[in-house]
């Protein structure tokens, strides 16, 4: 199978334990939990059934075998253009007045970047097996956490660990699931997956994560070749929600306590959805059709086109806009202004205005449905 073995992930499930209802913060005993040698994690505190944790790395201590980046450096566009193709996806983060791009070709090999952007300690995280790029504020109760990869998975999703308490954190939800901090919740930061071309054109003053990471990795290649066209996900034992194909992409939006999903197949037909989530007027835009999948071809730049989906608040200056797809452009009905996929009005009375992104991520369907089984799903119309 060659590279389709997805070589960094090679072991099966950890020992089963714990209660099945997921409601308690004291579910497992140290005798039954999947304890890993040398860890100081308090396995007696958990919000999950710890039998759901799957060990995916074969080392005696699997933590950070996929090494996070703790002191990232950044480069300008001229240098990045030498190794970033226009079609390649990057994770866009804006915080504290700064804008940065984190190329997925680097995130694939490190999964976590501990950074500081505009004075805010942030973690940019990416799980290749779920296609989730999610940002978090690393501040919690007066301390700054530093995250790493635990080598464990749950529902095929990255499980992080913090070096301060050795608690385990679910990337898809931002919740501490095992350890001293079990039950704690990180604050999300809006992160969008967009093409390098779109980023470069929209944010000329932005910065780009450098490939000078201190590690020797085959940046630009995809170790999960053909993964998102497989019939089933890797190391996932749950029941797959059959409303959509397991590997379809979905924009998962969260506003307050409400979560809603927008499948790419529906968005591709409608191009824009005006909706209300958590009491907030939002718009979900689909575009950048030639953005490459990072989980298809052996070289990311050659991946098939999958597009991107981005969610915004559609309230601007106190007015709720209704955005539609008209003559190949996003147009608001109120002023007739034209908008691009990055939420910027490019012409018309509102030219130069920007919509604020809401918390969202592009997930693979199987994973999003596993973590948010009771959430509403937009079905079109």
């Amino acid at each position: 199978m060659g590279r389709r073995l997805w070589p960094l992930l090679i072991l099966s499930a950890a020992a089963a334990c714990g209660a099945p209802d997921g409601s308690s913060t004291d579910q497992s005993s140290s005798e039954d939990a999947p304890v890993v040698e040398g860890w100081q994690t308090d396995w007696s505190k958990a919000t999950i059934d710890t039998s759901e944790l799957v060990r995916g790395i074969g080392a005696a201590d699997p933590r950070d075998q996929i090494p996070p980046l703790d002191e990232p450096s950044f480069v300008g566009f001229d240098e990045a253009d030498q190794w970033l193709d226009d079609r390649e996806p990057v994770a866009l983060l804006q915080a504290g007045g700064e804008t940065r791009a984190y190329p997925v070709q680097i995130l694939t090999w490190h999964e976590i970047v501990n950074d500081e952007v505009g004075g805010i300690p942030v973690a940019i995280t990416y799980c290749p097996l779920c296609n989730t790029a999610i940002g978090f504020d690393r501040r919690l109760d007066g301390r700054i956490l530093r995250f790493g990869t635990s080598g464990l998975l749950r529902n095929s999703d990255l499980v992080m660990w913090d070096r301060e308490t050795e608690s385990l954190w679910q990337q898809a939800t931002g919740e501490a699931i095992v350890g001293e901090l079990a039950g704690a919740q990180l604050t999300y930061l809006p992160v969008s997956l967009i093409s390098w071309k779109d980023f470069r054109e929209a944010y000329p003053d932005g910065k780009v994560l450098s490939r000078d990471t201190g590690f020797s990795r085959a940046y630009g290649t995809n170790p999960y070749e053909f993964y998102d066209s497989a019939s089933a996900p890797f190391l996932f034992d749950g029941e797959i929600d059959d409303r959509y194909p397991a590997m379809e992409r979905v924009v998962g939006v969260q506003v307050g306590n409400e979560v809603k999903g927008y499948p790419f197949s529906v968005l591709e037909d409608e191009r824009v959805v005006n909706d209300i989530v958590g009491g907030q007027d939002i718009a979900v835009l689909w575009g950048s059709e030639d953005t490459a999948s990072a989980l298809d071809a052996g070289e990311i730049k050659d991946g098939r086109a999958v597009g991107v989906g981005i969610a915004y608040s559609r309230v601007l200056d106190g007015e709720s806009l209704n955005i539609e797809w008209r003559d190949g452009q996003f147009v608001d009905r109120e002023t007739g202004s034209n908008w691009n996929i990055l939420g910027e009005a490019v012409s018309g009375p509102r030219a130069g205005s920007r919509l604020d992104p809401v918390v969202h991520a592009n997930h693979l369907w199987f994973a999003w449905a596993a973590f948010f089984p009771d959430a509403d799903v937009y079905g079109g119309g």
Side-chain angles (χ1 to χ4, degrees), residues 32 106 177 229 245:
D32 295 330
I106 300 175
I177 54 175
S229 57

Side-chain angles (χ1 to χ4, degrees), residues 40 72 117 202 208 227 241 247 252 261 305 317 334 336 353 366 380:
Q40 302 302 310
V117 181
V208 187
Y227 176 69
D241 188 321
M247 311 305 262
D317 298 329
E334 287 69 26
S353 298
F366 80 89

